[in-house]
Each structure stands twice: as structure tokens, then as C-alpha cells.
Amino acid sequence: MSKTAPLHCIVLAAGKGTRMKSDLPKVLQPLAGQPLLAHVLQSASKLAPAAIHVVYGHGAERVQQWAQHAFAGAPLSWVLQAQQQGTAHAVQQAMPAVPDDAVVLVLYGDVPLTPPETLTSLVQAGRRGLALLTVELDDPSGYGRILRDRARQVKGIVEHKDAKPAQQRIREVNTGLMAMPAKRLRRWLSKIGNDNASGEFYLTDIVALAVRDKLKVTAVSAACAADVAGVNDKIQLAGLERELQRRHADALMRAGVTLADPARFDLRGELVCGADVAIDVGCVFEGRVELGNGVQIGPHCVLRNVRLGAGTRVDAHSVLEDCSAGADVRIGPFARLRPGAQLADEVHVGNFVEVKNTRIGHGSKANHLAYLGDGSVGRGVNIGAGTIFCNYDGANKHQTTIEDDAFIGSDTQLVAPVTVGRGATIAAGSTITKDVPAGGLTLCRAREQKTYPSWQRPQKKGKKK
Ligand code: UD1
Ligand code: CA
């Protein structure tokens, strides 16, 4: 077979995953924020295959629904296996769309962490014969065992259920991933029966058929058990989640990022860091997050689709989503930046401040307890504690504009639409319903302050004087 034989991946993903005890099909269970199947499809895509055939069955509707909005552009085809009659039967469903000159790579939808380099070695060996990915396990129970002859040549696989006691002691197991020429595979599949302990058509039976054909059977060993671990229940899912997060953490630390504790770090997307970034414990990163040089993230922050400039610091318990900040910005503790928050350089957004769809200009500060929604704030503005942009009239959202160098006193309500002019000062406790001119002091309180010196506090009923 020539090296240019097109690669066809067949992903087995029809199984039910009973032990997940979940309505969500097993291959859609999330690992690092993405369905298990997405991880497999990403690894497969890296091999630049001519086609990826996904054999699906259980939870068909939901799997298809998900597939429609993910992986646009990948050479995916979907094959329904209505009844799960075994791994050979599953592969068989995809074969009509696989040409004879192809090399086939069989993947499992619930084995998410196999490195593309390992798959590449497997495919290379599969171009010359039958190649199996195997691994040695301390506890091989449940897996198909690799049978070798005296010359250590692979001669078959025996499933756990069908294995004799001596065979059960074999620690080298079949991971299920294999590669082989399509033409051979087609011939072998036509010969497989279901006379075994499960009454299923076992793909593993092709090994004995290849040996009978005197075709070379190669065992490619996986680098470690986690690379080929499958997921059957929530405990294994959590185990692989930690494994993958540890890999993310190691990659970041190798690139120079300081992680206070790599065991308390969660990345569910892509994190791009400049030099000398430090991340404290318990943070979650989702979507695409970019952190500039020297950015510091305090403990227990959540960042989803965020871009932060150099020297910016996010303090503990802040939640940032679909927003950006420039350089040397201070955010939190306990800040919430919602979609459309755009902070320029040197802005301060402090504790219990919520910002939504609002630009804040260079050096402006909102340090305590405020809601800034649907606004535009100029440079050098000071927004006092308790300031609210009253952006919603019950039906529509309106805009608040604050020009450069304005000072908004504490507990001011700005009833949008409204504009505060450049350099204006608003006295604390004002409810501003009309545009404020530039400069000067504007206040709007119910009435001027008055003192009633002989006023008495009301007494609690029944209390003795
Ligand atoms: C299979 C292998 C076993 C190997 C083990 C590794 C066979 C006969 N046995 O056993 O040698 O050690 O994997 O985990 O191949 N699937 C379908 N349709 C089906 C049956 C299965 O899509 O009709 C999918 C499942 O969703 C799963 C994969 O194929 O992703 C493996 O099937 P499973 O039933 O888990 O195989 P095992 O019995 O674990
Ligand atoms: Ca399994």
C-alpha cells in the first residue's frame, strides 16, 4: 500500500454509557468543558484525514444536534447504528463510505486523550498491516488481552469474558484503537461471527484473521494508561478531567506561567499568556482568554472570553465574561464584568461593581458598589459608591454617557437616557433625570437638609422607660 493512501477515521460512538446514569449520551459528557467526542474529533482532525465517520446510536438526536453547530468544515460524516451489535458491527456500518485504497483508523468516542503523535504512529504501522494500540495495565480486568506466541508475535485478542484464567493474568491489553488497510478490513468483517460470551460481533476477531492471512500484526504501545483510558462512569470522567487539567497546567508552567497550585487550576478552552503571568488557586478559564505580560489573577476568579492588557490585576472572586481591559487595570475583589465591558488603561473597578456593555475611559474609577450598564464613561471620571445607571425603563434599555473628568457623588441614580457633561460634579444622593451641563455642581434631592432638634425616637411598644 502506498504512503498516499487516504486516511479514513471511524469513530465508534454508539454505546449507551449505562454507568454514567445520565440522560446525556456518554460521548457528550463534558471533559474540560467540551464533549468527550469533541476531543476525539479534534485529535482525528490533526491527522488531516480524508474523512471522519462517526458511528452514533444512543442519544442520536442530541448527538446530531450538537454536531450541527460544532465542527463545521471538518470532513465529518455520520452513520447511524440503530442497534449496537458489537464493535465489528459498528465499524461495518461505516464501511460503504470507505474506499478500498484507504487506510482505516478506528477510534472510540469515549477515549479522549490519545495524543495525535501516537495516532500517527498507529496509522503508519496500519499502512503495512494490522496495527493495534496496546498498553500494559496493573489491573487489566474488563479489557481484551493481547495473545502472543513464543516468538512474542501477536496472534490474537481474547475478551475478558471469554478468557481462560491463565489468559486473564496477561497485563497487555487492547485499547480498542487500531489501524489497517480498508480492503483487508472489509474482507475480515465479512467473516466475523457472534459466537462468544456476549453474542456480539467483536472487531478484535480480525486479529486472528490477519494472522491466518499471514499479514503483519504490530502492537504499538501507548506512552501511558491515561493516553488510552476510556470513560465509563463519572469517577473515570473526573479522573481524566484532572489528568487533562494537569497537562494544561504543565504546559502553561513550562511556558513560564506561575500557578499557585496546578492541582487547583481549570482550563475549559484556550489560555494565551504573556511573560510573568501569575494565577492563584481555584480559577476557571473558559472560551478564549488572553493575559498580557505580568497579569495577576487572584484566587477563585472566573474568566470567560476575556482579554487583559499588561500589568492588569484581577483580585479574588471576580467574574469576567466577554469583556476586555487595557494595561494596569485593577479589577475586584468581587467585581463582575459582563459582556461588552471595555476598560481602558489604568481603570479601577472595585468590589461589588457590575459593568455591562459599557466603555470606561483611561484612568476612570468606580471603586465600590455600583451598576454601570449600557454606558459610556470618559477619561478621569470618578464614580462614587452606590451609583446606578438606571438603564432599563421596564421595556427598553437606554444609554448613559459621562464625559471626561466628571465626578459622580455617592448614591447617584442616572436615569437613562442621560448625559453628564465634561468636568461636571453631581452631589451625592442625586436622582438625575435630565442632561447635566459641563462643569459646576448639580444636585437633585427631595429637599434641603433640615434638623429637628426636639425630635424623639419612637419607643418600642411595652418597653419601660
Ligand atoms: C472493547 C474491546 C476490548 C478492549 C476495550 C477497550 C471489542 C470486542 N473489545 O471492549 O478488546 O480492551 O474495548 O476499552 O472490541 N460501540 C459502538 N457500537 C457497538 C458496540 C460498541 O459504537 O455496537 C462503541 C462503544 O460506544 C465504545 C466502543 O465502541 O465507545 C467500545 O465498545 P465497548 O462495548 O465499550 O467495548 P468493550 O467491551 O469495552
Ligand atoms: Ca468499554
Side-chain angles (χ1 to χ4, degrees), residues 344-373:
D345 295 350
E346 294 174 42
V347 163
H348 290 192
V349 168
N351 34 207
F352 307 106
V353 174
E354 176 178 346
V355 182
K356 184 210 78 171
N357 192 27
T358 294
R359 285 166 182 268
I360 303 182
H362 188 284
S364 292
K365 297 182 172 66
N367 272 329
H368 333 266
L369 297 153
Y371 173 60
L372 315 182

Side-chain angles (χ1 to χ4, degrees), residues 272-357:
V272 182
C273 293
D276 295 308
V277 166
I279 298 170
D280 213 324
V281 299
C283 294
V284 178
F285 298 87
E286 299 183 340
R288 184 178 164 87
V289 174
E290 283 175 51
L291 307 179
N293 293 345
V295 164
Q296 294 179 41
I297 309 292
H300 304 291
C301 292
V302 179
L303 281 75
R304 182 181 304 128
N305 300 319
V306 172
R307 219 172 56 240
L308 302 179
T312 286
R313 199 175 84 203
V314 180
D315 288 331
H317 298 287
S318 295
V319 179
L320 284 63
E321 179 181 4
D322 293 313
C323 60
S324 66
D328 299 313
V329 171
R330 295 285 167 271
I331 297 165
F334 298 101
R336 175 142 188 241
L337 302 188
R338 292 172 50 201
Q342 291 178 48
L343 316 187
D345 295 350
E346 294 174 42
V347 163
H348 290 192
V349 168
N351 34 207
F352 307 106
V353 174
E354 176 178 346
V355 182
K356 184 210 78 171
N357 192 27

Side-chain angles (χ1 to χ4, degrees), residues 414-425:
L414 295 158
V415 181
V418 70
T419 296
V420 177
R422 175 186 279 261
T425 298

Side-chain angles (χ1 to χ4, degrees), residues 55-382:
V55 182
Y56 69 105
H58 271 285
E61 256 170 48
R62 293 185 72 170
V63 174
Q64 282 247 293
Q65 238 172 32
W66 166 76
Q68 270 168 11
H69 59 83
F71 289 96
L76 278 189
S77 74
W78 296 83
V79 193
L80 183 67
Q81 186 195 22
Q83 279 190 334
Q84 283 75 59
Q85 297 176 43
T87 43
H89 181 256
V91 169
Q92 182 88 65
Q93 308 310 302
M95 289 309 285
V98 178
D100 263 349
D101 68 342
V103 56
V104 171
L105 172 65
V106 176
L107 299 169
Y108 283 6
D110 56 359
V111 177
L113 296 188
T114 319
E117 308 80 72
T118 304
L119 298 179
T120 301
S121 311
L122 188 62
V123 170
Q124 288 313 330
R127 291 179 190 280
R128 297 186 298 269
L130 174 59
L132 311 173
L133 189 62
T134 69
V135 70
E136 290 224 1
L137 297 179
D138 293 336
D139 176 13
S141 49
Y143 288 88
R145 308 299 205 284
I146 304 294
L147 306 177
R148 291 178 182 265
D149 62 18
R150 285 211 184 82
R152 298 289 300 148
Q153 290 298 306
V154 176
K155 60 169 199 214
I157 296 177
V158 60
E159 288 306 298
H160 181 94
K161 279 185 194 164
D162 302 288
K164 301 189 186 90
Q167 293 172 327
Q168 289 197 359
R169 285 194 291 274
I170 297 171
R171 288 176 40 229
E172 187 187 12
V173 305
N174 171 36
T175 65
L177 278 59
M178 19 179 118
M180 68 296 276
K183 199 171 171 181
R184 298 272 189 174
L185 175 61
R186 205 185 315 276
R187 183 141 21 94
W188 296 329
L189 286 171
S190 71
K191 293 183 183 163
I192 291 175
N194 63 349
D195 180 18
N196 52 51
S198 313
E200 287 189 352
F201 296 90
Y202 289 168
L203 182 59
T204 43
D205 286 355
I206 67 174
V207 179
L209 293 168
V211 170
R212 202 176 305 162
D213 284 358
K214 304 213 175 343
L215 195 72
K216 189 174 169 58
V217 180
T218 315
V220 173
S221 358
C224 64
D227 278 3
V228 291
V231 176
N232 294 307
D233 59 25
K234 294 287 169 82
I235 295 172
Q236 290 170 341
L237 185 62
L240 281 200
E241 177 77 30
R242 271 306 105 207
E243 171 68 28
L244 180 52
Q245 293 304 346
R246 182 69 211 204
R247 291 180 184 191
H248 287 157
D250 287 354
L252 286 163
M253 292 188 293
R254 264 185 234 112
V257 175
T258 301
L259 296 180
D261 182 358
R264 285 180 288 168
F265 168 80
D266 286 271
L267 172 57
R268 300 171 191 157
E270 197 187 349
L271 177 57
V272 182
C273 293
D276 295 308
V277 166
I279 298 170
D280 213 324
V281 299
C283 294
V284 178
F285 298 87
E286 299 183 340
R288 184 178 164 87
V289 174
E290 283 175 51
L291 307 179
N293 293 345
V295 164
Q296 294 179 41
I297 309 292
H300 304 291
C301 292
V302 179
L303 281 75
R304 182 181 304 128
N305 300 319
V306 172
R307 219 172 56 240
L308 302 179
T312 286
R313 199 175 84 203
V314 180
D315 288 331
H317 298 287
S318 295
V319 179
L320 284 63
E321 179 181 4
D322 293 313
C323 60
S324 66
D328 299 313
V329 171
R330 295 285 167 271
I331 297 165
F334 298 101
R336 175 142 188 241
L337 302 188
R338 292 172 50 201
Q342 291 178 48
L343 316 187
D345 295 350
E346 294 174 42
V347 163
H348 290 192
V349 168
N351 34 207
F352 307 106
V353 174
E354 176 178 346
V355 182
K356 184 210 78 171
N357 192 27
T358 294
R359 285 166 182 268
I360 303 182
H362 188 284
S364 292
K365 297 182 172 66
N367 272 329
H368 333 266
L369 297 153
Y371 173 60
L372 315 182
D374 300 310
S376 165
V377 176
R379 300 164 66 95
V381 171
N382 196 307

